């Protein structure tokens, strides 16, 4: 299957999941995760209509973004960001999904130029997995409050990389918990809208949409196996 056919299939799956859950497809943004794939594949996906792409490593992204600088692409960082790469990350990306500490927020803030405001999402680790970044459920509200004080960061919501389960239904409780966590944070910090929930990947994005995802991060189903 071509990238264009893959994208059409993904968009059909998004429409179906929206129909089942009474949502509008425009509420769900498809972020194509292009890590490990060359710029030429990204260009194909762009020509098939996609405008938002995600990468998980700053260095790999830098080369690709340079090669594609003739295209008005919105670039999302979805992988862990080291504090010594915050300046580079601010130059390259339009969104950071993987904000995972107050210290990182502070470094991103210090790397800002006057007037700049960078949309970010707070990554939450709901599985308590040691190998994954993200703040714990209990500390999330406090971190949101602290991060929201950095004027050069625009905190738009939460992001989740759930534990892996073969069966997408097994992931549903994690997606639901992220949404409920967002509701609780909103209730305690009503000045923050936190409209975005970044959750759902190739094998479970339909369930994520049913549970309220506004951004899904899809790699394999678009570009093929890595
Ligand atoms: C690789 C990656 C994805 C995409 O995963 P697929 O299963 O290939 O769709 C989504 N989110 C993050 C953070 C990733 O690193």
């Amino acid at each position: 299957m071509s990238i264009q056919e893959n994208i059409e299939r993904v968009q059909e799956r998004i429409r179906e999941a929206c129909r089942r859950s009474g949502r509008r497809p425009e509420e769900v943004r498809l972020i194509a995760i292009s890590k490990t794939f060359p710029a030429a594949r990204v260009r194909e996906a762009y020509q098939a209509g996609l405008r938002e792409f995600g990468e998980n490593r700053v260095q790999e992204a830098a080369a690709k973004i340079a090669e594609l600088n003739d295209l008005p692409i919105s670039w999302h960082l979805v992988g862990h960001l080291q504090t010594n790469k915050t300046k580079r990350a601010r130059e390259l990306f339009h969104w950071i999904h993987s904000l995972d500490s107050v210290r990182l927020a502070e470094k991103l803030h210090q790397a800002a130029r006057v007037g700049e405001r960078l949309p970010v999402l707070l990554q939450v680790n709901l599985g308590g997995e040691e190998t994954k970044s993200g703040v714990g459920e209990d500390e999330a509200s406090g971190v949101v409050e602290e991060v929201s004080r950095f004027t050069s960061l625009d905190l738009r919501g939460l992001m989740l990389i759930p534990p892996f389960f073969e069966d997408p239904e097994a992931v549903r409780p994690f997606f639901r918990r992220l949404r409920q966590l967002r509701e609780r944070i909103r209730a305690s910090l009503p000045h923050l809208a936190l409209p975005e929930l970044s959750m759902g990947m190739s094998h479970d994005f339909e369930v994520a949409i049913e549970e309220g995802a506004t951004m899904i991060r899809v790699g394999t189903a678009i570009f093929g196996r890595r």
Side-chain angles (χ1 to χ4, degrees):
M1 291 243 275
S2 69
I3 284 181
Q4 180 169 348
E5 287 168 316
N6 287 344
I7 291 170
E8 283 166 12
R9 176 78 193 108
V10 166
Q11 283 166 337
E12 180 57 33
R13 286 169 62 189
I14 294 171
R15 281 194 295 274
E16 279 294 306
C18 284
R19 196 182 49 70
R20 278 197 301 279
S21 49
R23 302 186 61 199
R24 289 179 294 115
E26 307 82 67
E27 294 170 26
V28 181
R29 284 158 71 172
L30 173 58
I31 319 296
I33 307 299
S34 49
K35 66 183 182 209
T36 77
F37 290 95
R41 297 285 91 75
V42 176
R43 198 173 284 279
E44 274 179 64
Y46 177 90
Q47 279 155 1
L50 299 191
R51 294 294 178 268
E52 301 197 87
F53 292 85
E55 289 281 331
N56 67 340
R57 293 179 54 238
V58 172
Q59 211 150 6
E60 180 186 343
K64 239 175 266 187
I65 291 170
E67 247 185 277
L68 295 163
N69 69 1
D70 57 315
L71 304 180
I73 286 176
S74 184
W75 288 99
H76 298 243
L77 179 67
V78 300
H80 176 66
L81 176 60
Q82 291 169 318
T83 49
N84 63 354
K85 297 209 173 112
T86 47
K87 187 165 175 287
R88 196 79 185 102
R90 276 202 89 118
E91 289 162 0
L92 292 168
F93 293 98
H94 303 88
W95 279 82
I96 308 277
H97 290 230
S98 44
L99 184 70
D100 56 11
S101 70
V102 176
R103 184 175 143 70
L104 179 60
E106 188 180 8
K107 290 283 176 193
L108 278 166
H109 179 65
Q110 287 164 355
R113 277 183 291 225
V114 178
E116 273 180 348
R117 205 134 190 267
L118 177 67
V120 298
L121 303 173
L122 181 67
Q123 182 175 351
V124 181
N125 183 349
L126 290 180
E129 294 166 286
E130 299 275 332
T131 54
K132 279 183 189 146
S133 349
V135 303
E137 193 164 8
D138 295 339
E139 45 176 348
S141 181
V143 174
V144 163
E145 190 168 13
E146 289 195 59
V147 169
S148 68
R149 297 207 186 98
F150 295 112
T151 50
S152 72
L153 300 178
D154 183 8
L155 182 59
R156 300 272 187 95
L158 305 179
M159 180 271 216
L160 174 69
I161 306 177
F164 181 82
F165 294 100
E166 206 60 57
D167 174 12
E169 277 303 322
V171 194
R172 188 183 295 277
F174 291 92
F175 293 144
R176 188 167 295 171
R177 263 168 66 197
L178 192 75
R179 172 164 48 86
Q180 290 169 340
L181 175 62
R182 190 263 305 267
E183 305 316 324
R184 287 203 303 282
I185 296 173
R186 265 181 181 164
S188 65
L189 303 167
H191 59 291
L192 294 175
L194 303 177
E196 308 291 348
L197 291 176
S198 168
M199 57 187 194
M201 314 201 289
S202 289
H203 88 298
D204 58 15
F205 69 77
E206 284 118 318
V207 177
I209 290 171
E210 289 168 14
E211 295 299 331
T214 61
M215 299 173 130
I216 58 172
R217 310 180 308 264
V218 180
T220 311
I222 291 172
F223 295 105
R225 284 197 187 282
R226 290 183 289 272

